[in-house]
């Protein structure tokens, strides 16, 4: 069993023991990701990046990943595949010769 | 090589070819996750969950995962481990006998 | 007519002409605020605050305010009053002698 | 003094008494708005809109407005004017005859 299957199984077990599938419709899972993304930002508010507490980042990042894996599961998406696909599309939007060393968006390159 | 290493390597290769590490400080990566989480929400705005377009969900979820993996990499966090640790902590906050079938937060159980 | 009434009326007229009240339930309005907050963050991504474009900030801030005023209207909340009330509560959470010059959260003061 | 001036003055007084202007650069104020938008979403998570608690909505909406007014102040933006301007632009993007009764985005009309 690979890593991602192992993570998904652990998350699904935890959820099923608590009978929480009923709450996990895709819209609420997307809302949950946004909430956790906001809590991650809290680690960095009013301070430079290096002053953020690592354990807070770790905790909120774990929550973001958890809801993202659950949403991928609900929608039948293969996480590795969708990321590799997106990288391929980004290769076209951000060709190395244009995008190297600049943070501009593809439509401004 | 397991899934998560493979994904991280693909993301880092894409980034390093473009010399983008200089922009990827943890604070901006956390901001990027929030932006993408907002774009994911757009798929669901003003409509029931089942009307959201799957390819939009797939695309935005891929972006959220990508920045989350990059932030985990920057902070030296093992993604599988931090999720499994969080599940353990959640077992204590949400014991099955109290949390089963309810969406209440742990401090309201 | 004061400023806030004038703004709310303009927003409600615009909405009613388009028959959009049906979409503006509080949950979706809250989602819309988060989406626009993410778009505002885009103005600042990968760059220092002073490099963000003012017209982008203006546009996204206008959207955040618009959905926030619409949500306040739906819930029958008086915007001036809830802000002044919150300032009063914050006076207790952040007494000047403890909070002066520090960005700590009230539970860390 | 109109409503918006009164609100802004109250927020600025509160801030200046605590010497917090130093933390309120536009990038962090935008981050603060996103964090509060996430907290507002918490009121609606895993439940229908009508089950959200009004006092939670009130509290988080007050925070969103507060940071939005502070950001507008930092950037020298007139809140009433930017909203009325945005409504004008939206009249062109969403003409009544095309947009009436549909939640489609302008680029799909």
């Amino acid at each position: 069993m690979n890593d991602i299957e192992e993570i998904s199984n652990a998350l699904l077990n935890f959820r099923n023991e608590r009978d929480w599938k009923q709450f996990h419709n895709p819209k609420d899972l997307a809302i949950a990701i946004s909430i956790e993304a906001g809590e991650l930002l809290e680690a960095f508010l009013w301070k430079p990046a290096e002053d953020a507490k690592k354990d807070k980042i770790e905790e909120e990042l774990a929550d973001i990943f958890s809801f993202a894996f659950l949403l991928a599961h609900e929608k039948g998406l293969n996480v590795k595949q969708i990321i590799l696909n997106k990288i391929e599309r980004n290769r076209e939007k951000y060709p190395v010769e244009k995008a190297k060393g600049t943070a501009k968006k593809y439509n401004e390159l």
Side-chain angles (χ1 to χ4, degrees), chain A:
Chain A
M1 191 164 57
N2 66 43
D3 275 0
I4 289 181
E5 277 180 274
E6 202 181 320
I7 294 169
S8 292
N9 286 348
L11 290 166
L12 292 170
N13 280 345
F14 179 85
R15 170 173 96 176
N16 293 340
E17 282 169 7
R18 282 156 192 77
D19 199 12
W20 283 354
K21 185 180 165 39
Q22 58 183 314
F23 306 116
H24 285 187
N25 72 80
K27 189 164 177 167
D28 279 294
L29 286 169
I31 290 173
I33 293 171
S34 250
I35 293 170
E36 301 300 341
E39 293 185 6
L40 174 63
L41 280 179
E42 253 197 305
F44 297 97
L45 185 64
W46 318 129
K47 58 183 80 143
E50 51 284 14
D51 289 358
K53 288 192 186 139
K54 192 172 171 184
D55 59 349
K56 169 88 173 158
I57 298 173
E58 177 180 328
E59 176 136 10
E60 305 308 342
L61 207 42
D63 286 336
I64 292 166
F65 271 116
S66 297
F67 289 119
F69 276 117
L70 287 166
L71 177 52
H73 174 83
E74 288 309 301
K75 301 299 299 180
L77 296 167
N78 177 313
V79 171
K80 184 169 90 173
Q81 206 50 59
I82 66 172
I83 297 173
L84 297 180
N85 290 348
K86 187 68 198 266
I87 292 174
E88 280 320 303
R89 287 199 298 282
N90 277 342
R91 279 190 202 292
E92 288 168 40
K93 283 164 95 174
Y94 296 95
V96 171
E97 62 277 15
K98 282 192 183 177
K100 194 162 186 172
T102 170
K104 284 188 185 157
K105 244 192 134 168
Y106 67 93
N107 50 13
E108 294 170 347
L109 285 176

